[in-house]
Amino acid sequence: MRNLLDFFLKYSKWFIFIIYVIISCMLLFNGNPYQHYIYLTSANKVSSLVFKTSSMVTSYFHLHDINEDLQRRNASLESEVICLNKELARYREEAIADSLSRDSSLVQFDFIIAHVISNSVSRANNYITIEKGRLDSIKPEMGVVDQNGVVGIINVVGDHSARIISLLNPKMRLSCKVKGREYFGSLVWDGKSPHEAILEEMPRHEKFKKGDTIVTSGYSAVFPEGIPVGTIISHEKEHDDNFYALRIKLFTDFTTLSTVRVIRNNMKDELMQLQEGEEND
Amino acid sequence: MTKTIIQFSILFIVLVLLQAMVFNNICLFNVAVPFVFIYFIVYLPLTLSANWVLTLSFIAGLSVDIFANTQGMNSLACTIIAMSRHSLLHFFFPREDELSIPEPSIRSLGQEIYMKYLFTVVLLYCTTIFIIEAFSFFDIWRMLLRIFCSTLLTFLLLLGLDSVVSRHD
């Protein structure tokens, strides 16, 4: 017994070393990003408080860029409003007769505005933290966009903060298509630049031009169809010759992210039930 | 004794917050990342028992992990450098009993030995971090470039930091 005790005392540093290495590796190789412990991510109370304080200061630095983006967006929305108004006026004349109001339950998506308090673009797996959480009715697996395009998907939610898997994370795959076409592929990040990503599995027989716009496909309950993602820069061959991989320039500028919108899908539960029903049949 | 504990607690908090708020956002030319908080591990007194060094290093790594959302990456690398720290110093500087100050610094070890020690620790740390990162994207040249540039940047920053911190004795 005494010998055993001596043995443990003599090699205690090795035991402690091994224990810490095992803990680290368990954290490191916990593959499912939706199962991270809330208190070990940046969405916990202390770190979100710290980040909130520092972002109060640093958020001023990006105001210029954000302002410019908003101006541009504003201009395009304004011109859209003018077009729509014209169209509306035309339809109103045509269809005064059947003026049934739409059922409000059919409004499928609405938005929750949130501020980014921490963000990274330089690591292999990037995450974003925002200052709204469960109490603002944010739930895991909600889509997040900003004024330019897709940002990511919520994965860990605390009471007053939540963590988003950024589009700049190889664990995130986004179903996308070229605007106006029906073929879709999945968008992943290759880790090279925070402004670019790869759209994989595009069929070989389709023709794509540089500068074509990529939008979300709407095949999942997370993002509605047609949210802008980026434009095509170039195409490369994949290992499998039947498919193209397109290099995409992302619309969202992840380096100056500050205000984002979380998409709430009011029909998600219904969709999930439907899909579950299909699987059970 | 109490004074040393307070001194190191302040150093810990300042370095972890600096790393989380400032240095984690820096990525020079998209390759070089500075890991300044490991100065805490480099600077822990040699008289401290190995168990304490391991525990403190693990906690430092874990705190940075929490802020940076890199589950386990920094804590693993910190544990590894904490374990090899003593043997490295012993290798470069066999006459440990002659040390006037228990903390390794440019003043206590001399320029040449301290620089060798610091460089090896930083290189070991960066190598571990970027090998772990290579599990996500494997690109050997990019990995080597990132290891090299990050080591150089961190090494230079820590040399500067050392001249500021170790003067206050």
Side-chain angles (χ1 to χ4, degrees):
Chain A
M1 191 61 207
R2 214 204 130 99
N3 281 345
L4 189 70
L5 214 64
D6 279 346
F7 174 77
F8 276 119
L9 282 180
K10 192 174 170 194
Y11 294 104
S12 62
K13 78 169 182 184
W14 287 101
F15 286 113
I16 289 180
F17 174 66
I18 288 165
I19 289 168
Y20 288 155
V21 167
I22 289 172
I23 295 176
S24 311
C25 287
M26 266 162 55
L27 291 172
L28 197 56
F29 296 110
N30 177 5
N32 187 346
Y34 289 95
Q35 279 175 1
H36 292 157
Y37 305 103
I38 171 86
Y39 45 88
L40 285 182
T41 65
S42 60
N44 77 17
K45 275 207 182 99
V46 180
S47 61
S48 63
L49 183 77
V50 173
F51 279 135
K52 217 178 269 180
T53 319
S54 84
S55 81
M56 262 159 54
V57 180
T58 52
S59 64
Y60 288 100
F61 301 147
H62 302 308
L63 279 183
H64 181 75
D65 290 340
I66 292 162
N67 208 359
E68 222 159 72
D69 272 347
L70 282 177
Q71 296 278 11
R72 207 177 306 130
R73 179 84 184 144
N74 219 352
S76 77
L77 283 176
E78 225 160 78
S79 64
E80 209 175 312
V81 165
I82 293 168
C83 282
L84 286 175
N85 266 339
K86 268 186 202 160
E87 217 164 313
L88 194 67
R90 194 160 58 83
Y91 281 125
R92 203 174 274 151
E93 283 167 17
E94 283 178 12
I96 291 174
D98 60 4
S99 53
L100 283 172
S101 64
R102 270 180 76 193
D103 190 349
S104 66
S105 71
L106 285 179
V107 181
Q108 196 185 345
F109 296 101
D110 55 41
F111 297 108
I112 306 164
I113 307 278
H115 294 283
V116 172
I117 53 175
S118 121
N119 180 17
S120 74
V121 294
S122 56
R123 273 184 279 280
N125 295 301
N126 294 301
Y127 295 95
I128 299 161
T129 319
I130 54 174
E131 41 74 89
K132 294 231 167 121
R134 192 178 296 118
L135 298 183
D136 307 282
S137 68
I138 285 176
K139 295 194 190 89
E141 298 190 45
M142 280 182 164
V144 183
V145 297
D146 80 339
Q147 70 271 21
N148 297 318
V150 173
V151 172
I153 295 177
I154 303 270
N155 79 336
V156 181
V157 180
D159 278 349
H160 294 288
S161 51
R163 192 178 70 169
I164 303 167
I165 302 192
S166 162
L167 205 55
L168 309 181
N169 189 322
K171 285 174 186 148
M172 162 114 182
R173 282 182 165 265
L174 182 69
S175 172
C176 291
K177 63 180 186 184
V178 179
K179 197 175 183 176
R181 314 270 183 88
E182 287 312 312
Y183 297 100
F184 61 95
S186 67
L187 187 85
V188 284
W189 189 51
D190 64 342
K192 288 197 176 115
S193 152
H195 302 290
E196 291 169 14
I198 303 285
L199 184 59
E200 288 176 343
E201 298 161 19
M202 292 307 279
R204 190 75 202 273
H205 54 81
E206 271 291 285
K207 294 270 179 286
F208 304 107
K209 283 201 304 285
K210 262 185 207 174
D212 279 357
T213 309
I214 303 294
V215 295
T216 53
S217 70
Y219 287 145
S220 70
V222 178
F223 289 105
E225 187 183 344
I227 293 185
V229 177
T231 52
I232 299 177
I233 306 175
S234 63
H235 45 76
E236 305 159 2
K237 245 178 243 171
E238 270 187 62
H239 311 297
D240 181 352
D241 274 348
N242 290 323
F243 294 105
Y244 272 138
L246 306 175
R247 183 161 279 276
I248 308 297
K249 170 147 180 51
L250 298 171
F251 284 135
T252 310
D253 187 356
F254 285 90
T255 52
T256 59
L257 213 54
S258 91
T259 308
V260 294
R261 287 174 294 167
V262 182
I263 304 173
R264 184 162 49 187
N265 186 347
N266 294 324
M267 275 154 60
K268 187 169 180 181
D269 293 336
E270 207 174 311
L271 274 171
M272 296 297 263
Q273 268 174 11
L274 261 176
Q275 278 169 358
E276 264 170 37
E278 266 169 29
E279 276 162 24
N280 290 340
D281 282 340
Chain B
M1 185 64 192
T2 331
K3 196 186 151 208
T4 323
I5 291 177
I6 293 171
Q7 223 174 32
F8 271 90
S9 311
I10 293 172
L11 188 68
F12 178 89
I13 293 168
V14 169
L15 283 178
V16 168
L17 282 183
L18 263 183
Q19 182 71 34
M21 300 289 96
V22 183
F23 293 107
N24 269 342
N25 298 323
I26 296 175
C27 189
L28 274 189
F29 312 115
N30 221 356
V31 284
V33 187
F35 298 101
V36 170
F37 79 103
I38 62 170
Y39 182 73
F40 175 73
I41 302 166
V42 171
Y43 192 59
L44 280 174
L46 288 169
T47 43
L48 196 65
S49 84
N51 296 347
W52 274 109
V53 173
L54 279 168
T55 309
L56 290 174
S57 311
F58 179 74
I59 293 171
L62 198 65
S63 324
V64 172
D65 272 340
I66 287 173
F67 281 111
N69 279 313
T70 48
Q71 279 80 14
M73 189 161 94
N74 286 302
S75 44
L76 181 62
C78 282
T79 316
I80 289 172
I81 60 168
M83 196 62 190
S84 43
R85 187 181 90 110
H86 199 260
S87 356
L88 275 176
L89 254 184
H90 198 73
F91 177 72
F92 291 126
F93 193 71
R95 314 178 302 277
E96 257 166 54
D97 326 333
E98 295 171 20
L99 275 181
S100 49
I101 316 165
E103 292 93 8
S105 69
I106 211 159
R107 229 170 51 143
S108 62
L109 291 174
Q111 203 165 8
E112 200 192 326
I113 294 169
Y114 183 71
M115 276 165 101
K116 276 189 206 159
Y117 160 69
L118 186 66
F119 188 79
T120 330
V121 171
V122 172
L123 181 68
L124 188 64
Y125 188 84
C126 292
T127 314
T128 321
I129 288 283
F130 291 111
I131 285 178
I132 295 170
E133 215 181 82
F135 292 144
S136 295
F137 307 110
F138 188 72
D139 182 346
I140 185 119
W141 293 112
R142 192 174 147 76
M143 186 182 92
L144 292 177
L145 184 71
R146 287 193 84 160
I147 292 175
F148 177 74
C149 296
S150 302
T151 307
L152 210 65
L153 181 64
T154 310
F155 176 69
L156 290 176
L157 282 172
L158 290 196
L159 266 187
L161 190 64
D162 181 69
S163 61
V164 177
V165 174
S166 63
R167 193 180 295 167
H168 294 291
D169 283 315

